[in-house]
Amino acid sequence: MSDGDPTDQALATIASILDQTASPREAEEAASDQRPESSRSPAIDGYSKTGPGPMESIRFRWTVRHAGNNRYFVDETIGDRSRSITTGPMSGDAAVRFVDDQASEARQRFEALRNEMAGRAAAADILRGGGGGRED
């Protein structure tokens, strides 16, 4: 690899984006995602969580929709303008559990990817001789 390898530059850019602190809006959403089970309101319709990510246009969102007769559906979208993928029907509790599980899995995958990218960037830095900690 050369010092000007575009792959290294792309990985470094992505890693720097991922290492940025969350915006106030993301921090607020993350805080609301962590609320305890007992604080949930009885109105399940509209319950929603947003997945992690550096750009809103590629974040997943899961939203519970009530369809009558104690039947609920979960609409999954990516960004603001995508067509939803619907899962259901299911009970209200199952819909909330589904949203929570999907958001949790997305967060775990995002963290795994972020850690993998950070590891690759660190390895590339070491291979270039910039992070070995020793002076020649």
Side-chain angles (χ1 to χ4, degrees):
M1 283 191 204
S2 66
D3 285 339
D5 186 0
T7 304
D8 290 345
Q9 292 172 357
L11 285 173
T13 301
I14 292 169
S16 70
I17 290 169
L18 295 176
D19 286 340
Q20 292 178 0
T21 57
S23 69
R25 180 174 175 223
E26 288 175 353
E28 182 180 307
E29 285 177 357
S32 70
D33 287 352
Q34 302 301 323
R35 68 177 173 223
E37 295 282 327
S38 62
S39 71
R40 245 188 226 122
S41 69
I44 296 170
D45 188 32
Y47 180 75
S48 181
K49 285 196 175 179
T50 303
M55 296 181 296
E56 192 165 333
S57 63
I58 60 171
R59 282 192 204 128
F60 284 83
R61 176 177 289 276
W62 301 272
T63 305
V64 176
R65 177 173 44 91
H66 186 245
N69 296 332
N70 200 27
R71 293 180 345 164
Y72 292 86
F73 292 86
V74 175
D75 296 323
E76 178 179 25
T77 57
I78 303 171
D80 292 335
R81 297 194 171 124
S82 72
R83 179 174 290 168
S84 66
I85 296 172
T86 302
T87 304
M90 60 187 92
S91 70
D93 289 339
V96 170
R97 205 169 29 257
F98 181 82
V99 167
D100 290 345
D101 290 347
Q102 293 297 99
S104 176
E105 184 178 331
R107 190 161 306 285
Q108 290 171 359
R109 286 182 176 185
F110 178 77
E111 289 301 322
L113 176 63
R114 183 173 154 172
N115 291 337
E116 180 181 339
M117 290 171 50
R120 285 184 181 183
D125 192 37
I126 290 170
L127 289 173
R128 283 192 303 268
R134 58 174 220 242
E135 295 184 25
D136 293 77

